[in-house]
Amino acid sequence: MKLLIRPAPEVAIKSKPVRRQQMRHLRQNIRKLLSRLDSDIHVEGSWDRVDAEIPDGRGLVGPVIEELRRVPGISTIQEIDVLPWVSTDDVAEKAVAAFAERIRGKTFAVRVRRHGDHSFRSIDLERLVGTALFEASAPKAVDLGKPDVEVRIEVQDRDYHIAHRKHRGAGGYPLGAVETVMTLISGGYDSSVAAYLMMRRGLRSHFLFFRLGGPAHEVGVRQVVHYLWDRYGASHGAKFISVPFEGVVEEIMRSVNQRHWGVVLKRQMLKAASEIAAVNNASGLVTGDAVAQVSSQTLSNLNVVDRASDEVMLRPLISMDKEAIIRIAREIGTEPFARNMPEYCGVISRKPATRARLHRVEKDEANMDAQVLEQAIASRQDTPVNRLLESTQTPEEVELVHTPDMNDVIIDVRHPSEGEQSPLHLASNRVVEIPFYELGERIQRLPADRQYLLYCDRGTMSRMHACNLIAEGHTNIKVYAPAH
């Protein structure tokens, strides 16, 4: 079996030097990916096509087509039988065997192309094959304009090809044919879809994760990043870069006006991303922002956020609504990850600024200790994405307690402003208020012979911090999840 692979139309219209370079990238990517399935798959090509020869009898055709459908830069993949030339009657016989059932009740046309000198014309073979198909099946009619089924035959000197099913590819540009970018990834719907769209556009991507809430979130993000890379970007190496940002969050909470928390957090991320991108030769930063989706993504706030970096900001989702984003997530397979991904809810203002002013935000940032951000950048961890799951240990499962024992101590980890709005009162248990950004330090000073139940409104932040404490060796931590 042979597969004829055509590039996306955007590749075909490039100038000759650019097209030649992009086709070389496409061949190399296909060759590398298919070698993972079988080293005997042969890949070659020319300026407008790539041919993959699949060994017979190994059950490879289905897996190979499934792999190719995800490769950026491919428009179509067509299955082709390569048969030795015997006679025109043999061609008709093989065409009947391949197409008789497929044209039943449908319109069809036979298209023949020849290369070399033959004793017959292309139209002669078209008529012969068409007559044989009409006699062997019950087609609706011959339609040379817009047939339901096309029977394509290509005659070479010593063999001929019969084209079978055609499959749609991913489109876009071959991965690596454009520049490298740094994608800010949180594992949710938006950033995962944004990462996919950039890879589909031919941009090699490294993945930058800002750790805000302990290992529970990072485990999920590692899994979705590995999935994205393995399915859509495995022809090129990539890094997963994890930056511990808990200290930066704490510094924002202590030093910045609450209305600017979200904007300042994003600016701090962009400042860090710019430095890390420069070290990794990335030419731009990718985010999953969609205009007006949340308060920090108004045009005014995006303008203020962007001033924190000189890098090109790429936002492939900027005009999409959530429904469209989720639909793409389902199509590419990241929806189950996003649906179950913990969402960090610690940096949420009660009345966030929707039209932040740059000079006011910069004044707030001036109150922050700049060394906190520099320390976070210096403490980052780089992991090759192909080894990402090897270094992942799933955090211990956190036990949820609906009805605490009398001796249990409840730790309210919410921000003080949240506690003021809806105080937690329990008749039989002591409640200690420790904001999440102080939890790591203050837990050390609490008596070790008591059991502590972490609490927050949504339950997400308390679980993430419980996972973090358990991973650090605290065995007396659970989560208070009152039944509603």
Side-chain angles (χ1 to χ4, degrees):
M1 174 66 73
K2 188 174 187 177
L3 298 179
L4 169 59
I5 302 162
R6 295 288 188 186
E10 287 181 289
V11 175
I13 63 174
K14 295 294 184 185
S15 65
K16 286 185 178 180
V18 174
R19 186 174 62 215
R20 191 179 301 116
Q21 176 211 31
Q22 294 195 345
M23 289 303 295
R24 183 172 65 251
H25 274 289
L26 185 58
R27 287 195 302 273
Q28 291 172 346
N29 294 350
I30 291 172
R31 191 174 290 122
K32 183 173 182 179
L33 292 170
L34 295 189
S35 67
R36 302 193 305 175
L37 298 175
D38 194 302
S39 60
D40 290 335
I41 298 174
H42 182 65
V43 177
E44 59 182 16
S46 60
W47 69 274
D48 69 339
R49 61 187 284 173
V50 178
D51 297 310
E53 293 187 16
I54 315 300
D56 294 328
R58 303 187 189 179
L60 291 169
V61 175
V64 166
I65 291 173
E66 183 62 26
E67 185 78 47
L68 291 173
R69 290 181 64 190
R70 301 192 299 263
V71 176
I74 292 178
S75 175
T76 60
I77 308 112
Q78 187 149 37
E79 303 175 42
I80 295 175
D81 265 339
V82 181
L83 303 165
W85 178 262
V86 177
S87 65
T88 55
D89 289 336
D90 178 70
V91 176
E93 181 182 334
K94 297 298 193 299
V96 167
F99 284 92
E101 290 302 317
R102 293 169 59 189
I103 67 171
R104 193 176 302 277
K106 300 178 181 178
T107 60
F108 78 100
V110 180
R111 319 284 196 197
V112 173
R113 293 179 60 188
R114 294 182 303 111
H115 303 275
D117 295 327
H118 302 91
S119 60
F120 57 89
R121 298 174 300 169
S122 296
I123 193 171
D124 296 330
L125 187 55
E126 288 175 352
R127 288 171 177 169
L128 177 65
V129 173
T131 300
L133 284 167
F134 221 100
E135 293 175 350
S137 184
K140 182 178 181 181
V142 173
D143 184 350
L144 299 180
K146 294 183 178 180
D148 297 326
V149 179
E150 284 190 335
V151 180
R152 292 189 172 273
I153 299 171
E154 186 171 332
V155 181
Q156 308 283 354
D157 291 326
R158 296 183 179 181
D159 57 35
Y160 65 97
H161 302 170
I162 295 182
H164 293 283
R165 292 173 180 82
K166 183 181 287 188
H167 309 270
R168 298 298 304 175
Y173 289 122
L175 193 65
V178 195
E179 288 101 329
T180 298
V181 294
M182 185 72 67
T183 299
L184 280 64
I185 190 97
S186 67
Y189 291 104
D190 301 341
S191 62
S192 301
V193 171
Y196 162 76
L197 292 175
M198 290 293 96
M199 287 191 286
R200 181 182 176 274
R201 197 62 183 168
L203 291 150
R204 178 190 178 194
S205 180
H206 298 301
F207 300 89
L208 182 58
F209 170 66
F210 292 97
R211 191 173 69 238
L212 303 177
H217 188 189
E218 181 165 346
V219 167
V221 177
R222 283 172 173 253
Q223 290 170 340
V224 72
V225 165
H226 186 273
Y227 172 88
L228 276 169
W229 172 84
D230 187 57
R231 286 182 67 86
Y232 305 106
S235 60
H236 287 69
K239 292 180 182 178
F240 177 81
I241 303 167
S242 176
V243 183
F245 236 53
E246 296 93 341
V248 177
V249 171
E250 180 179 342
E251 186 62 21
I252 291 172
M253 297 271 182
R254 289 174 173 167
S255 307
V256 173
N257 184 307
Q258 184 185 132
R259 300 196 67 209
H260 292 154
W261 281 354
V263 170
V264 171
L265 177 61
K266 287 202 168 188
R267 283 175 55 88
Q268 294 292 301
M269 288 178 174
L270 288 196
K271 289 180 179 181
S274 297
E275 289 193 32
I276 297 169
V279 174
N280 289 278
N281 299 315
S283 303
L285 304 178
V286 179
T287 73
D289 295 329
V291 68
Q293 190 177 109
V294 295
S295 61
S296 63
Q297 294 174 21
T298 64
L299 289 181
S300 297
N301 285 352
L302 289 176
N303 182 38
V304 172
V305 169
D306 284 3
R307 301 299 180 89
S309 169
D310 292 329
E311 301 295 328
V312 174
M313 294 301 304
L314 301 171
R315 294 184 170 97
L317 312 185
I318 194 66
S319 65
M320 291 188 187
D321 56 37
K322 199 68 174 185
E323 185 178 354
I325 295 168
I326 293 174
R327 183 173 64 249
I328 297 174
R330 289 196 186 104
E331 291 172 358
I332 65 177
T334 59
E335 192 270 342
F337 294 94
R339 179 168 21 96
N340 296 295
M341 190 69 62
E343 182 177 351
Y344 190 75
C345 52
V347 192
I348 299 177
S349 306
R350 277 185 297 168
K351 295 182 179 179
T354 56
R355 294 187 178 184
R357 297 290 182 262
L358 180 61
H359 69 281
R360 293 176 181 172
V361 171
E362 288 179 335
K363 183 177 179 180
D364 270 0
E365 282 183 326
N367 296 326
M368 295 176 60
D369 183 352
Q371 291 186 349
V372 175
L373 179 62
E374 291 304 316
Q375 180 60 41
I377 296 171
S379 302
R380 69 184 183 275
Q381 293 182 334
D382 294 11
T383 306
V385 176
N386 66 330
R387 301 187 61 185
L388 202 52
L389 300 186
E390 297 175 16
S391 57
T392 297
Q393 293 183 347
T394 303
E396 192 172 333
E397 187 68 26
V398 177
E399 183 178 342
L400 304 183
V401 176
H402 302 297
T403 305
D405 292 336
M406 291 185 61
N407 293 326
D408 291 345
V409 176
I410 313 299
I411 300 180
D412 186 344
V413 300
R414 296 175 297 172
H415 190 273
S417 60
E418 292 180 89
E420 290 173 6
Q421 290 227 317
S422 55
L424 177 65
H425 296 296
L426 293 176
S428 303
N429 296 88
R430 178 188 172 202
V431 177
V432 179
E433 296 176 356
I434 303 179
F436 64 91
Y437 50 85
E438 297 179 358
L439 187 59
E441 176 187 351
R442 291 178 57 181
I443 195 74
Q444 309 292 340
R445 302 199 295 265
L446 296 178
D449 59 350
R450 305 292 296 273
Q451 178 168 276
Y452 299 98
L453 311 183
L454 307 191
Y455 170 80
C456 69
D457 288 332
R458 302 182 189 182
T460 301
M461 190 164 57
S462 56
R463 293 189 199 193
M464 285 196 288
H465 284 283
C467 282
N468 194 24
L469 293 174
I470 292 171
E472 292 176 356
H474 296 275
T475 59
N476 57 344
I477 301 295
K478 296 180 182 179
V479 167
Y480 176 42
H484 295 293

